[in-house]
Amino acid sequence: MKGVFVTGTGTGVGKTVVCGLLAGFLQARGMRVATQKWVETGVGDGPTDIDVHRRVMGRPGPVPDAPLPDRSPYRFSLPASPHLAAAREGRRVDPDVIEAAYRRLEASHDVVLVEGAGGFLVPLTERLLTRDLVARIGLPVLVVVRNRLGCVNEALLTVEAVRRRGVPLLGLVFNRLPAEGDATPAEVFSDNPGIVARIAGTPVLGELPSLSDPALGAEAFAAVGRAFLERWRSA
């Protein structure tokens, strides 16, 4: 099982950082790691999610070991759901193109980490949801949860969606973002991972603390990485 699909409870929950830190963790253990983003929307002049992956994993600069079209098959300027962003440019996401790109990366790497766009049910086309392509390719899922007030419901709904599609669930990673307000009681943040794990019967692999610079987060991520590796190898 070479691939892992990194999804989240929504947009802006920290999937890109978790994907990059996990890639760096596995790379440090001698694995040939590729990251991939099937569809990225809201692409402008700044760094792409693939760029962020590489910076966080300690490999900034051009991608020498795989062409960018394989790493990021579809890129659109409109910050919207892939089906709408593609339609705005008169294009359409083709799942065959994505799967072929994934298989090429899979053939030349030990691990391929795929970061999803938004959440697990985001539509790639009017008739194809992200979950359907994940199931078709046969990837297990890692869920990133933004630890905040209200995330318990979001996490449980995502777990339910993954299970209903029959996709293997490796576990959840909780992520604390700097923007979380001080008004939320600390006990809410500490309770969220435990109650989700108990209700869902799904392992929480750990929590990533708020990071001022994700590229310096390898030490903070180490415990999560070890828990992931144990779970992944036994899947």
Side-chain angles (χ1 to χ4, degrees), residues 84-131:
L84 178 59
R88 176 67 66 87
E89 298 182 19
R91 301 167 63 192
R92 184 179 179 83
V93 173
D94 184 342
D96 291 337
V97 170
I98 291 175
E99 181 169 5
Y102 170 81
R103 298 299 180 194
R104 285 190 291 270
L105 291 179
E106 182 185 52
S108 57
H109 293 82
D110 299 316
V111 187
V112 182
L113 302 178
V114 182
E115 181 193 344
F120 191 62
L121 299 182
V122 164
L124 300 176
T125 72
E126 293 84 353
R127 297 186 177 182
L128 180 74
L129 301 185
T130 299
R131 68 175 186 190

Side-chain angles (χ1 to χ4, degrees), residues 11-22:
T11 298
V13 300
K15 296 187 302 294
T16 304
V17 169
V18 169
C19 195
L21 287 172
L22 181 56

Side-chain angles (χ1 to χ4, degrees), residues 173-199:
V173 176
F174 277 71
N175 185 39
R176 187 84 64 90
L177 298 183
E180 300 303 344
D182 295 333
T184 302
E187 63 184 312
V188 172
F189 294 121
S190 60
D191 182 71
N192 285 339
I195 191 63
V196 168
R198 287 194 292 276
I199 294 175

Side-chain angles (χ1 to χ4, degrees), residues 38-166:
W38 289 344
V39 182
E40 182 171 2
T41 64
V43 176
D45 296 331
T48 67
D49 287 344
I50 295 295
D51 294 331
V52 175
H53 293 165
R54 293 183 62 78
R55 188 179 78 83
V56 172
M57 66 189 291
R59 299 180 66 186
V63 181
D65 51 349
L68 185 58
D70 282 353
R71 300 267 187 171
S72 187
Y74 288 100
R75 305 166 76 189
F76 304 110
S77 61
L78 182 68
S81 175
H83 80 285
L84 178 59
R88 176 67 66 87
E89 298 182 19
R91 301 167 63 192
R92 184 179 179 83
V93 173
D94 184 342
D96 291 337
V97 170
I98 291 175
E99 181 169 5
Y102 170 81
R103 298 299 180 194
R104 285 190 291 270
L105 291 179
E106 182 185 52
S108 57
H109 293 82
D110 299 316
V111 187
V112 182
L113 302 178
V114 182
E115 181 193 344
F120 191 62
L121 299 182
V122 164
L124 300 176
T125 72
E126 293 84 353
R127 297 186 177 182
L128 180 74
L129 301 185
T130 299
R131 68 175 186 190
D132 302 319
L133 188 53
V134 172
R136 166 177 154 174
I137 294 177
L139 300 176
V141 167
L142 179 68
V143 178
V144 179
V145 182
R146 179 176 176 178
N147 195 352
R148 61 176 179 172
L149 184 65
C151 76
V152 171
N153 182 66
E154 298 167 343
L156 294 176
L157 285 173
T158 301
V159 168
E160 182 174 333
V162 172
R163 286 178 169 162
R164 285 176 65 88
R165 193 60 180 81

